[in-house]
Amino acid sequence: QVQLVESGGGLVLPGGSLRLSCATSGSIFDIDAMGWYRQAPGKQRESVATLTSHGFINYGDSVKGRFTISRDNAKGTIHLQMYSLKPEDSAVYYCYVRVVKVGTIYDVWGQGTQVTVSS
């Protein structure tokens, strides 16, 4: 019923910046949390940023001070602003939303967008 589509990825130089967007389609209710994960080739998926329904935000240690997660409720869009990008930030970035309703919990994931940081 709900779909998430990421965009904004691409190739950037080290030290550059990118703004990722995650557009929602359908309707999302009873959201407990939303955020971004990333996965580099040969590595496990890791949490980048999480924003709860109460406004609490948590960032992965490697991105603190460089990445910012935000939500545009009017547009139904989730953003990840990334500054001072490093080669090790290269990965496929996925957005997600966790829905909790009548005792049921499930996550909705986007298809991912590639971020490559290289000179």
Side-chain angles (χ1 to χ4, degrees):
Q1 294 183 16
V2 178
Q3 293 184 315
L4 304 177
V5 180
E6 300 95 334
S7 63
L11 175 64
V12 297
L13 295 172
S17 62
L18 281 175
R19 182 176 173 84
L20 305 184
S21 297
C22 178
T24 64
S25 62
S27 61
I28 300 177
F29 300 96
D30 302 301
I31 297 174
D32 182 64
M34 62 192 76
W36 293 85
Y37 274 70
R38 68 185 182 186
Q39 186 169 29
K43 301 189 67 177
Q44 295 187 99
R45 187 173 297 188
E46 65 173 336
S47 178
V48 174
T50 301
L51 192 161
T52 74
S53 60
H54 293 98
F56 295 109
I57 300 176
N58 182 66
Y59 294 100
D61 290 339
S62 63
V63 307
K64 287 182 178 178
R66 299 188 298 120
F67 291 10
T68 301
I69 186 172
S70 63
R71 165 77 168 173
D72 186 329
N73 290 319
K75 294 183 177 181
T77 307
I78 305 165
H79 300 285
L80 183 69
Q81 180 66 59
M82 307 185 294
Y83 296 106
S84 302
L85 286 163
K86 307 173 182 179
E88 50 264 44
D89 292 318
S90 297
V92 176
Y93 284 70
Y94 302 88
C95 67
Y96 79 92
V97 173
R98 172 160 290 183
V99 180
V100 179
K101 184 178 181 181
V102 196
T104 299
I105 302 175
Y106 65 93
D107 294 339
V108 180
W109 291 84
Q111 86 289 351
T113 185
Q114 176 70 234
V115 172
T116 302
V117 185
S118 177
S119 59

